[in-house]
Amino acid sequence: NAGVTQTPKFQVLKTGQSMTLQCAQDMNHEYMSWYRQDPGMGLRLIHYSVGAGITDQGEVPNGYNVSRSTTEDFPLRLLSAAPSQTSVYFCASTGTGGVYGYTFGSGTRLTVV
Amino acid sequence: GEDVEQSLFLSVREGDSSVINCTYTDSSSTYLYWYKQEPGAGLQLLTYIFSNMDMKQDQRLTVLLNKKDKHLSLRIADTQTGDSAIYFCLSNTGNQFYFGTGTSLTVIP
């Protein structure tokens, strides 16, 4: 059981470039979300999805887009990278009602120069 | 949204007990969780407690929940150097999840 798989693990972008962070889960979880983690700021919710075809904004959505065409995949797109988006990004998923909490991916460390 | 607060730092000596505290504001929180993040790694679920429980014990871990005061704690008995990490409290209300800011635990040999 792979759990939540994130790719890539590391990425360096130039300001203005776009890219997609991939997230896939094989647990048939309805709920998926993206967080960014910055020093001293804990985890902040970017976007989340409660099921295929349904997405919503979290606390810090600006500069990011998401889509959820399948239950398994929840990619995060950076439209025009900025240095302020340098961070560690985590994808997480959980089943109905969140009884067993989140399962997290291993993270993507993104640097924008 | 809900506010979930934790103190930022805790230092303990190896072999002592550690107590990490968390306060939350939403009385309708249904599940509360503790996660551990080691340096450079993702978040690992340590334990969780349902809102209708007061205590849960799992080997060296004891979770206490005071619903009246909206206070959650994680006690680690016989703390080891491998317990050095950041510990996050997470509150769940329906489909909403709220993280605490994390407590960095340093274990001194």
Side-chain angles (χ1 to χ4, degrees):
Chain A
N1 220 352
V4 178
T5 303
Q6 284 184 243
T7 56
K9 291 193 183 305
F10 301 95
Q11 182 72 49
V12 179
L13 288 179
K14 292 183 178 178
T15 297
Q17 285 185 315
S18 62
M19 79 160 294
T20 300
L21 307 185
Q22 301 291 345
C23 175
Q25 53 90 9
D26 61 358
M27 299 169 284
N28 203 32
H29 283 169
E30 295 91 352
Y31 192 96
M32 298 184 73
S33 58
W34 278 101
Y35 288 87
R36 59 177 289 173
Q37 185 177 31
D38 302 294
M41 301 192 74
L43 288 102
R44 293 183 291 170
L45 181 64
I46 305 171
H47 285 284
Y48 66 97
S49 168
V50 298
I54 306 168
T55 64
D56 207 346
Q57 296 181 350
E59 183 185 354
V60 288
N62 292 341
Y64 308 95
N65 272 356
V66 291
S67 60
R68 185 95 180 269
S69 55
T70 67
T71 300
E72 294 78 18
D73 299 298
F74 190 44
L76 177 72
R77 296 183 190 84
L78 279 71
L79 308 172
S80 177
S84 60
Q85 293 178 304
T86 294
S87 187
V88 180
Y89 292 85
F90 288 101
C91 178
S93 72
T94 187
T96 303
V99 173
Y100 299 109
Y102 271 132
T103 300
F104 279 85
S106 56
T108 297
R109 188 173 294 273
L110 176 68
T111 302
V112 182
V113 297
Chain B
E2 177 167 28
D3 286 331
V4 181
E5 295 191 357
Q6 300 177 238
S7 52
L8 290 180
F9 303 101
L10 177 66
S11 288
V12 299
R13 294 206 172 273
E14 190 174 15
D16 287 350
S17 292
S18 308
V19 179
I20 302 170
N21 295 303
C22 171
T23 59
Y24 59 98
T25 56
D26 190 343
S27 58
S28 60
S29 293
T30 47
Y31 306 104
L32 296 134
Y33 313 86
W34 284 104
Y35 282 81
K36 176 183 180 182
Q37 185 181 32
E38 296 181 5
L43 280 77
Q44 170 195 1
L45 179 65
L46 281 180
T47 186
Y48 62 92
I49 189 167
F50 298 146
S51 59
N52 62 356
M53 298 169 66
D54 298 323
M55 186 182 85
K56 181 179 180 180
Q57 188 153 0
D58 185 1
Q59 299 182 330
R60 293 192 297 124
L61 305 179
T62 303
V63 179
L64 295 177
L65 176 60
N66 182 327
K67 285 192 69 177
K68 175 176 172 289
D69 294 338
K70 300 189 189 67
H71 183 267
L72 180 74
S73 67
L74 173 69
R75 178 177 179 269
I76 305 172
D78 187 25
T79 312
Q80 303 296 308
T81 55
D83 295 323
S84 291
I86 301 176
Y87 291 80
F88 290 94
C89 162
L90 174 64
S91 166
N92 169 231
T93 306
N95 278 328
Q96 299 299 316
F97 292 86
Y98 300 95
F99 277 97
T101 50
T103 299
S104 179
L105 173 65
T106 301
V107 182
I108 304 163

